[in-house]
Structures are given as structure tokens and as C-alpha cells.
């Protein structure tokens, strides 16, 4: 009875009195449609990059030009996340989510109609803004509507969505690029966006709003700092790492340092409540998810360029090699989420990250040894299992003990670190790939043949393949950092063995929420 009353009090705090008994699952399913679309749009572009380069940028040999199609999206996605989480608290997660979904869907139409690479990059930047409005709301709704001891299952769905999107994105991208053209990887978002909008209007409840003051100085500093760092990393190889590039990156680091300093000294309400980082698991999960974002974004580019340009696979054929990854990740993620409600997160995270890093090592060996194509299914299987023990468990661990009033801020911080990791990964892999190309194919940037415009000349295939394989060393090293980080997690206070709370934490949180709910 005590647990029942506690759950009821917590539900009252996170929703209206009329929706106390309302199941949170339909709302989460509705929000997952939009989250799914965001993830698909990232993976679908990685498969289409060679086709986009051939269509819109056929006369240059620098791979970093087309990489900006991904980086522009990730940059405008990452920068606003801190404030969009707070916007959800202030104006309601449902309202902010619907606004972002509308922007994202309209921008998808603009992407498909873009007549030049520059216009496509601009439209992708607008897409990123829409995604930034949407993403924190999914995690905030989980935090505010699911009791802590049940969030593992909800985050399991969140992780399963990432896994299924990993399948649908590349596969749909390959089919659309081969059958209809690269434009249709963006047009496909329009019907999905409309369905997701209608579902969210009907199924997502209006949660109580919380007044927040917005740290405009913090927004400006974080935006400037991130832009300087990412632009410097992205364009460094193109400008031969000129002095002004290093000055730009250093200036970005300094600005981010000033940003953190202002957050610590803020007398009002900071953009980033640093006290959240006093919770060890929240801090460690943020560091780990940054390495995961870096790894997942950076590993796709060299793989796809190798399979399509060096081995001659079509976008569809290269995407089919990812089917084991996506199926296993999607199927196993919900089970991992339920298991996480009963055990220490390290029991899932350590094997998961080890499998992801190990599978990248196998990819590297296969590429360098010109292995048969079927062999690339082996690391795909291992990575699928690893992903199931990585995405959901990290998100659950980060948000498990967040109070409802900090749901938006916590979700914003978590998604910001994940996306910043992706941005830096995208920028870094472009520079690293170009550097390895120059090392293995001296003068490649000045060659008359263009990478991305068709089959490679036979005399450069070996050097190109070696460069793409060696590029995977970077994400391997970064995911190793994430593995070391999760070793420092501690067993969370909220565990649910055999279907019952292990301690009084849920009841205590509900008891704290009850007086506030009574005053609403």
C-alpha cells in the first residue's frame, strides 16, 4: 500500500489530477515516432553522402565539404539543447515538441528541394534546430511520468528506437538513393512527421509548467564556443592546419571555459545547473554518452566510403550489412532496460562498450585485409548486442534520480553532451580521414579524379582502403575512454529486484512531491 500511495503521489506531481491513473506508455510511443525520425535522418544521410557529393559537389576531392551536411545539422542540434530542455519545462514538453516537429518536417522538404550543396547545408541546419526542440522532451516525459524504479523499461524503448533507426535509416537510404535519388531521403520525413504530429496531439498529455529564467549570456557563450571548436576541427585539414585554425579552436576552448565559469557564479538560474553533476552517475553517464555520440557518428563515414567506393557496393548493399546490428539492438534493448531496473548498470554497460569497441577493431582488420564482404556481418552482430547494452542503460542511469523540476535541464544537458560528442566526432573524423588519405595517397587532394564521383581507379584502391581502415582507430580510442568512465559508476539507490523497490527512494521522492501537488 505504501508503494501504491507513493506512486500515486508522484503521478499527481507530474500530471494533472484528472490524469493520475493515465498510463504513460501511449504518450511515450507517440513521442518515439519523432525521436525515431531524428535518428533515421542522421543515419540515412551517412549512406547517401557519396551520392550527395557526386550530385552537388563532384569537382573537389575534399571529403570535408560533404561532411558539413552532417556537421551543420549536428551543430544547430547541439547548441540549443541546453535551453530547449528548459523551454519544455516552461511551456510544456508537448507544445515545444510539436513546434520542433513542424520545423523539422518543413525543413526536410527544403532539403529535398535544395539545388546546391550550400542550400542543402542551410536546410540541414534548420532541421537541426527542429530536432533540438524535440529531443529533450522525450527524456523529460519519461522522467516526469515514469517512477524511478520503472524508467529502465521506458528507456529500453528509447534504446530500441535507436537500434531500429539504425536499420531503417541506412536500408531506407540505400533503397531511396538507388531507386529515386538522394532527395527522397528527406522527402520520406514528411509523411512520418505528419503522422507523428497527429499522434502527439492526441496522446501526449499537457504536463504542469514550471517558470524558468533563461540565461541568455550562457546561450551566447555556449553557441560561440561550440561553433569555433567545431568549425576549426572541420576545416583544419582543408586549410592545412594554418595558425588561424589553431587560434580558432583555442578561442573556442577559452569561451567554453568562460561559459562554465559564468554558470558556476550565476546568482539566478544558470543554463546548466552544475549541482546536477554532484550525482556521480549523472556525471559519468554524460561523459560516457559523449564518447558514444562521437563513436557512432565517426565510425559510419569511413565504413560507407570504403564499402561503396573501394568495394563497389551500392548504398542498398552496404546498408544491408548493418541489418544484424539493427535487429539485435532493437530486439535486445527492451530486455536490457528491464534488467537494468534490477541490477547495477555496469553489468550491462561494460560488456556493451567492450563489444562496440571490439567490433570496430574487427572492422579495421577486415578492411586492411580486404576480407570478403560476408565477413562484415560478424562485427555487425557484435555491435548490435553491444548497442543494446549501451544506449538505454546510459540514459536510464543519467536520469534515474533526477527530480521532476529538473527533468528538462537534465535531459537538455544529457542530450547536449551526446550531440556535442557527435559534432566533434563528425568534425574529427573528416580531418582524420583526410590526413590518412594524404599519408597513404600523397597528393590525393590535388588529384584529377574525385573521391565520391564513382568507382575508384584501381591504382588508388589499396591506399584508399588502408586510409579508411586506419580512420577507425579514432573511434576505437574514444569508445575506450567511455569504457573506463563507466567503471567509476556506483550502484544506484533505486533498484527494483523481483518487482519491488529495494529502498525507500521512490517513496521519499513521492512524499516530497505530494505537498507541491496538493498546492497546484
Amino acid at each position: 500500500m505504501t508503494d501504491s500511495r507513493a506512486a500515486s503521489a508522484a503521478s499527481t506531481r507530474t500530471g494533472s489530477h484528472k490524469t493520475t491513473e493515465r498510463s504513460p506508455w501511449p504518450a511515450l510511443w507517440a513521442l518515439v515516432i519523432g525521436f525515431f525520425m531524428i535518428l533515421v535522418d542522421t543515419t540515412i544521410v551517412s549512406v547517401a553522402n557519396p551520392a550527395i557529393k557526386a550530385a552537388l559537389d563532384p569537382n573537389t576531392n575534399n571529403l570535408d565539404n560533404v561532411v558539413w551536411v552532417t556537421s551543420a545539422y549536428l551543430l544547430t542540434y547541439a547548441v540549443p539543447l541546453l535551453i530547449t530542455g528548459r523551454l519544455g519545462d516552461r511551456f510544456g514538453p508537448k507544445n515545444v515538441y510539436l513546434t520542433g516537429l513542424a520545423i523539422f518536417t518543413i525543413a526536410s522538404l527544403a532539403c529535398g528541394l535544395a539545388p546546391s550543396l550550400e542550400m542543402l547545408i542551410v536546410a540541414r541546419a534548420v532541421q537541426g534546430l527542429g530536432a533540438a526542440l524535440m529531443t529533450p522532451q522525450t527524456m523529460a516525459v519519461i522522467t516526469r511520468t515514469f517512477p524511478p524504479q520503472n524508467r529502465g523499461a521506458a528507456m529500453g524503448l528509447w534504446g530500441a528506437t535507436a537500434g531500429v533507426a539504425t536499420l531503417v535509416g541506412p536500408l531506407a537510404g540505400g533503397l531511396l538513393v538507388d531507386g529515386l535519388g538522394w532527395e527522397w531521403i528527406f522527402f520520406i520525413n514528411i509523411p512520418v512527421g505528419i503522422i507523428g504530429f497527429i499522434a502527439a496531439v492526441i496522446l501526449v498529455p499537457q504536463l504542469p509548467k514550471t517558470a524558468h529564467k533563461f540565461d541568455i549570456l550562457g546561450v551566447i557563450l555556449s553557441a560561440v564556443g561550440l561553433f569555433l571548436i567545431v568549425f576549426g576541427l572541420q576545416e583544419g585539414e582543408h586549410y592545412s592546419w594554418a595558425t588561424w585554425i589553431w587560434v580558432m579552436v583555442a578561442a573556442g576552448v577559452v569561451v567554453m571555459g568562460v561559459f562554465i565559469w559564468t554558470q558556476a557564479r550565476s546568482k539566478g538560474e544558470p543554463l546548466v545547473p552544475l549541482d546536477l553533476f554532484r550525482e556521480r552517475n549523472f556525471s559519468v553517464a554524460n561523459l560516457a554518452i559523449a564518447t558514444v555520440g562521437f563513436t557512432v557518428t565517426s565510425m559510419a563515414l569511413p565504413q560507407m566510403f570504403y564499402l561503396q567506393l573501394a568495394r563497389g557496393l551500392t548504398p542498398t548493399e552496404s546498408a544491408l550489412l548493418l541489418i544484424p546490428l539493427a535487429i539485435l539492438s532493437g530486439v535486445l534493448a527492451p530486455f536490457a532496460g528491464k534488467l537494468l531496473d534490477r541490477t547495477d548498470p555496469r553489468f550491462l554497460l561494460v560488456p556493451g562498450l567492450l563489444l562496440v569497441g571490439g567490433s570496430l577493431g574487427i572492422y579495421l582488420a577486415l578492411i586492411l585485409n580486404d576480407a570478403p564482404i560476408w565477413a562484415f556481418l560478424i562485427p555487425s552482430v557484435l555491435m548490435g548486442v553491444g548497442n543494446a547494452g549501451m544506449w538505454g542503460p546510459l540514459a536510464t542511469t543519467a536520469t534515474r534520480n533526477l527530480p521532476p523540476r529538473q527533468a528538462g535541464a537534465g535531459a537538455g544537458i544529457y542530450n547536449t553532451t551526446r550531440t556535442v560528442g557527435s559534432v566533434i566526432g563528425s568534425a574529427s573524423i573528416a580531418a582524420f580521414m583526410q590526413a590518412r588519405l594524404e599519408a597513404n595517397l600523397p597528393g590525393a587532394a590535388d588529384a584529377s579524379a574525385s573521391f565520391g564521383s564513382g568507382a575508384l581507379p584501381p591504382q588508388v584502391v589499396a591506399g584508399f582502403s588502408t586510409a579508411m581502415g586506419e580512420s577507425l582507430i579514432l573511434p576505437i580510442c574514444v569508445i575506450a575512454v567511455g569504457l573506463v568512465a563507466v567503471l567509476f559508476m556506483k550502484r544506484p539507490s533505486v533498484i527494483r529486484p523481483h518487482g519491488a523497490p529495494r529502498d525507500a527512494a521512490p517513496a521519499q521522492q513521492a512524499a516530497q512531491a505530494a505537498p507541491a501537488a496538493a498546492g497546484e
Side-chain angles (χ1 to χ4, degrees):
M1 291 298 292
T2 300
D3 293 332
S4 177
R5 289 193 297 271
S8 178
S11 179
T12 302
R13 176 68 184 96
T14 58
S16 66
H17 296 290
K18 293 181 180 180
T19 60
T20 298
E21 302 301 327
R22 182 172 182 171
S23 170
W25 284 101
L28 180 57
W29 278 105
L31 294 174
V32 155
I33 295 175
F35 182 56
F36 174 82
M37 184 171 64
I38 293 171
L39 293 175
V40 164
D41 208 65
T42 301
T43 56
I44 209 172
V45 171
S46 68
V47 175
N49 268 334
I52 292 173
K53 178 170 176 57
L56 300 180
D57 188 37
N59 299 317
T60 65
N61 295 312
N62 288 313
L63 300 179
D64 54 358
N65 291 338
V66 72
V67 169
W68 265 105
V69 175
T70 298
S71 293
Y73 170 82
L74 290 173
L75 182 59
T76 57
Y77 183 11
V79 170
L81 277 172
L82 293 173
I83 194 170
T84 55
R86 290 296 183 89
L87 287 174
D89 290 339
R90 176 65 181 86
F91 298 103
K94 179 176 182 177
N95 297 332
V96 176
Y97 174 86
L98 290 174
T99 301
L101 182 54
I103 293 173
F104 189 94
T105 304
I106 295 171
S108 296
L109 176 62
C111 286
L113 297 175
S116 66
L117 185 62
E118 292 76 14
M119 290 300 296
L120 176 58
I121 291 172
V122 171
R124 284 282 284 167
V126 177
Q127 261 193 329
L129 178 60
L133 290 167
M134 295 165 62
T135 301
Q137 316 318 324
T138 59
M139 291 185 68
V141 167
I142 292 174
T143 304
R144 295 178 65 179
T145 59
F146 285 85
Q149 69 272 20
N150 292 333
R151 286 180 196 156
M155 288 297 181
L157 174 59
W158 189 86
T161 301
V164 173
T166 306
L167 166 65
V168 174
L171 185 56
L175 293 171
L176 290 170
V177 171
D178 288 341
L180 297 173
W182 65 266
E183 300 90 345
W184 284 88
I185 68 173
F186 300 110
F187 290 150
I188 196 67
N189 290 336
I190 298 171
V192 177
I194 293 172
I195 293 171
F197 193 94
I198 294 172
V201 168
I202 297 173
L203 298 175
V204 178
Q206 290 286 2
L207 297 175
K209 303 170 185 177
T210 304
H212 284 293
K213 295 180 180 179
F214 296 110
D215 181 6
I216 301 302
L217 177 61
V219 172
I220 295 173
L221 288 174
S222 63
V224 172
L226 286 172
F227 176 81
L228 292 173
I229 293 171
V230 173
F231 184 87
L233 290 172
Q234 180 73 53
E235 296 297 304
E237 186 67 30
H238 179 68
Y239 290 102
S240 302
W241 295 102
T243 302
W244 68 270
I245 288 286
W246 290 112
V247 171
M248 177 176 285
V249 173
V253 173
V254 171
V255 171
M256 291 304 294
V258 173
F259 165 70
I260 294 173
W261 179 76
T262 60
Q263 297 302 288
R265 294 179 60 86
S266 175
K267 300 299 183 182
E269 188 171 9
L271 186 63
V272 176
L274 297 180
D275 59 325
L276 289 177
F277 289 94
R278 294 175 183 172
E279 164 64 33
R280 184 198 298 179
N281 283 1
F282 181 80
S283 299
V284 173
N286 272 274
L287 174 58
I289 197 61
T291 67
V292 168
F294 184 109
T295 301
V296 170
T297 301
S298 60
M299 71 182 187
L301 284 171
Q303 288 178 23
M304 288 302 162
F305 273 104
Y306 166 75
L307 291 171
Q308 294 181 36
L309 300 185
R311 301 302 296 267
L313 271 64
T314 65
T316 301
E317 291 169 341
S318 57
L320 288 172
L321 294 174
L322 300 177
I323 285 182
L325 186 164
I327 291 179
L328 287 171
S329 177
V331 169
L332 295 178
F335 295 100
K338 292 179 180 179
L339 179 61
L340 189 67
D341 286 333
R342 299 175 171 86
T343 189
D344 190 313
R346 288 171 292 187
F347 292 161
L348 293 172
L349 287 169
V350 171
L353 292 169
L354 272 175
L355 283 171
V356 170
S359 63
L360 286 174
I362 296 174
Y363 273 121
L364 169 60
L366 294 177
I367 291 173
L368 294 182
N369 290 282
D370 199 28
I373 293 298
W374 65 263
F376 286 83
L377 293 170
I378 298 172
S380 182
V381 169
L382 297 177
M383 186 166 287
V385 178
N387 267 264
M390 183 173 69
W391 288 101
L394 276 176
T396 305
T397 304
T399 61
R400 189 189 294 271
N401 293 324
L402 289 182
R405 64 183 178 83
Q406 296 280 33
I413 293 169
Y414 181 82
N415 283 286
T416 297
T417 55
R418 174 179 63 84
T419 311
V420 166
S422 296
V423 170
I424 297 176
S426 175
S428 299
I429 197 64
F432 198 61
M433 286 168 62
Q434 201 69 35
R436 299 321 303 156
L437 281 171
E438 285 291 336
N440 289 279
L441 294 170
D446 300 321
S448 58
S450 172
F451 300 139
S453 59
L456 294 175
Q459 63 270 25
V460 304
V461 169
F464 183 88
S465 299
T466 300
M468 295 301 101
E470 291 175 350
S471 297
L472 291 175
I473 295 173
L474 182 61
I476 290 172
C477 292
V478 172
I479 200 67
V481 174
L483 174 61
V484 172
V486 300
L487 294 176
F488 290 90
M489 285 182 172
K490 63 180 181 179
R491 187 179 180 90
S493 59
V494 180
I495 298 290
R496 187 186 56 158
H498 308 298
R502 187 179 185 90
D503 55 30
Q508 291 171 351
Q509 187 179 60
Q512 294 169 357
E520 289 178 358

